[in-house]
Amino acid sequence: MRMSEGVEWALHCCLTLGWLGSDRTVPTAKLAATFELPPAYLNKHLQALTRAGVLASSPGARGGFRLARPAEKITLLDVVTAIEGRDGAFRCTEIRRRGAGAGRDPQEFARQCVITTGIRRAEMAWRRELAAQTLADMMARAPAAAVERTRHWYAKG
Amino acid sequence: MRMSEGVEWALHCCLTLGWLGSDRTVPTAKLAATFELPPAYLNKHLQALTRAGVLASSPGARGGFRLARPAEKITLLDVVTAIEGRDGAFRCTEIRRRGAGAGRDPQEFARQCVITTGIRRAEMAWRRELAAQTLADMMARAPAAAVERTRHWYAKG
DNA sequence: GAATAAGTACTCGGATATAAATTGTCCGAGTTAGGCAGG
DNA sequence: CCTGCCTAACTCGGACAATTTATATCCGAGTACTTATTC
C-alpha cells in the first residue's frame, strides 16, 4: 500500500507555485529542473492536477502552470486525490458471498460487511485529516530561508 | 494507492477463526474453500499473520491455524500491518535537496519537510482508528445468522 | 506605424515502452497424528 | 496389549511465473506570444 511518488512531486510543485504567486506561470521544464525530476512524467501529474482544478495551465509561449485558486482553498486531500484517484485504498470484493456464503438469502448481505465498515472508518479519518490541512498552512509552516531561496532560484530564470 | 486484497482475506479468516474458538485449528485448504480463494497464496498471507504473532500454526496432521491470542487483543492495525508491512503509505524521497536545493547548508534540512509532516499526520489518524477496533468488536457487530452459518459450515468438515 | 503573416515556445493528450510490485503456482523439507505390523 | 514403524495430512519456506500497476518517454496537434514582413 504505497502512495505514488507523484504525490510528493505534486505537493512540492504546488508549494513552489504558491510561493511565486498566482500571477506568475511556470513551465513544466522549470519545475522539473527545480527538483531534478523527469519533465515528461512530471507533466503528466501536473495535467492531472489541472484536470482536478487544483492548477490552471496556459498554453503557448511564456505559458505554464499556476495555482487555480488561493492556497487557503487547496487542501492536501485535493492534491492527493488528484494524483491517486478518487477511490479509497480498500476495495471490498465481497468474498463473504463466495464458497460458504454461496446460495444464501441475498438479504443476509444487505448491510456491508463489518470488515468494510471498520476499514472505511479508518480511511475517513485519514481523509478528514488531509482535508483539514491547506496549502496555505504548509506555506506558513515552512522555514523562511527556504522560501527566500526558492524565490531567488526562480528570479534569475 | 490500493491496499492489498490480502488484507480482506486475512480479516475474514481471522473473523472465522475467532468464531470457531482458539481450541480448534483450521488448515489452509479449509479456509481457502470457505471463500473460494487460491490456497497456496492464502497460505502465504496466513504465514505473514503467524510471523506477526496474530495467528499460531500447528504443523502435522490435524494441524492448521488459530488465533494466537484473544480476539479482544487483536486490532485491525495488527492484521493490516502484518499483511502490508510496517512502512507507511507515504515515503519522503527528499526531493527538496535536489536541483535548487543542492549545495545548501545541510542544517537547512534538519527538520523534516512540511509536506511529510502533513501527510504523516493523516497516516497517524488512520493508524489510530485501525488500532481502536479489535477483532472482538467485529465479531460482536456481525449478524448472528452469519456466525451460525459459519459454525455449521465448519461442523461437518 | 499598423496590420498581417511566419516562427517559436509552450501545453495537451494519447500511444507506447520499461521497471517494479502484486498476485498466483509449485515443490521439497520438516512435523505430527493415527494406523499397522510384530512381538 | 504394547512398541516401533509407516503413511497421510499438514505447515513452512523458497523459487519461480504471470499479471497488473507504476514509472517514464516520445510525438503530433493545438495555442499564444514574438518577430518579421508588408502596406
Side-chain angles (χ1 to χ4, degrees):
Chain A
M1 203 191 70
R2 179 90 90 265
M3 186 177 275
S4 161
E5 209 176 345
V7 171
E8 185 186 8
W9 299 3
L11 284 169
H12 270 104
C13 287
C14 285
L15 218 51
T16 300
L17 291 175
W19 284 330
L20 295 180
S22 60
D23 52 335
R24 163 135 187 214
T25 96
V26 182
T28 300
K30 187 75 179 168
L31 281 170
T34 305
F35 301 111
E36 288 177 16
L37 303 175
Y41 189 34
L42 174 61
N43 185 265
K44 203 162 223 180
H45 290 313
L46 296 177
Q47 284 179 33
L49 288 166
T50 304
R51 275 194 298 276
V54 173
L55 298 186
S57 66
S58 326
R62 310 192 66 79
F65 294 90
R66 61 181 195 281
L67 295 185
R69 54 178 187 270
E72 291 79 19
K73 299 202 170 175
I74 298 175
T75 70
L76 291 195
L77 184 60
D78 293 331
V79 177
V80 169
T81 60
I83 303 296
E84 292 283 332
R86 195 163 278 103
D87 301 352
F90 181 78
R91 179 176 50 180
C92 176
T93 60
E94 292 287 342
I95 63 174
R96 61 177 175 169
R97 299 179 192 236
R98 307 212 296 262
R104 291 192 188 175
D105 180 6
Q107 204 168 11
E108 211 170 299
F109 305 120
R111 269 181 303 210
Q112 72 178 0
C113 73
V114 291
I115 288 166
T116 302
T117 305
I119 303 245
R120 288 269 157 78
R121 182 181 300 189
E123 287 200 356
M124 282 169 77
W126 179 73
R127 293 167 64 88
R128 185 163 43 244
E129 204 63 36
L130 285 179
Q133 302 181 70
T134 68
L135 249 191
D137 296 333
M138 305 281 116
M139 289 167 61
R141 208 177 296 155
V147 182
E148 187 53 38
R149 295 264 204 169
T150 299
R151 291 212 176 102
H152 186 256
W153 166 272
Y154 278 91
K156 38 184 170 183
Chain B
M1 203 191 71
R2 178 92 91 264
M3 185 176 274
S4 162
E5 209 176 346
V7 171
E8 185 185 9
W9 299 3
L11 284 169
H12 270 105
C13 287
C14 286
L15 219 51
T16 300
L17 291 174
W19 284 329
L20 295 179
S22 59
D23 52 335
R24 161 129 188 221
T25 105
V26 181
T28 302
K30 187 75 179 167
L31 280 170
T34 306
F35 302 110
E36 288 178 17
L37 302 175
Y41 189 35
L42 174 61
N43 185 263
K44 209 163 220 182
H45 290 313
L46 297 178
Q47 284 180 33
L49 288 167
T50 303
R51 275 194 300 276
V54 173
L55 299 185
S57 67
S58 329
R62 310 196 67 77
F65 294 89
R66 62 180 194 282
L67 294 186
R69 53 178 187 269
E72 291 79 18
K73 299 202 171 179
I74 298 176
T75 68
L76 291 196
L77 184 60
D78 293 331
V79 177
V80 170
T81 61
I83 304 296
E84 291 283 331
R86 195 163 278 101
D87 301 352
F90 181 78
R91 178 175 50 178
C92 176
T93 61
E94 293 287 342
I95 62 173
R96 60 176 175 169
R97 300 181 192 235
R98 307 213 295 264
R104 291 192 188 177
D105 180 7
Q107 205 168 9
E108 211 171 300
F109 304 121
R111 269 180 305 209
Q112 72 178 1
C113 74
V114 292
I115 287 167
T116 302
T117 306
I119 303 246
R120 288 271 158 77
R121 182 182 300 188
E123 287 199 355
M124 283 168 75
W126 179 75
R127 293 167 64 90
R128 183 162 46 244
E129 204 64 37
L130 285 180
Q133 303 180 69
T134 69
L135 249 191
D137 295 333
M138 306 281 115
M139 288 167 61
R141 207 178 297 154
V147 182
E148 188 52 37
R149 295 264 203 166
T150 299
R151 291 214 175 99
H152 187 257
W153 167 271
Y154 279 90
K156 38 183 168 183

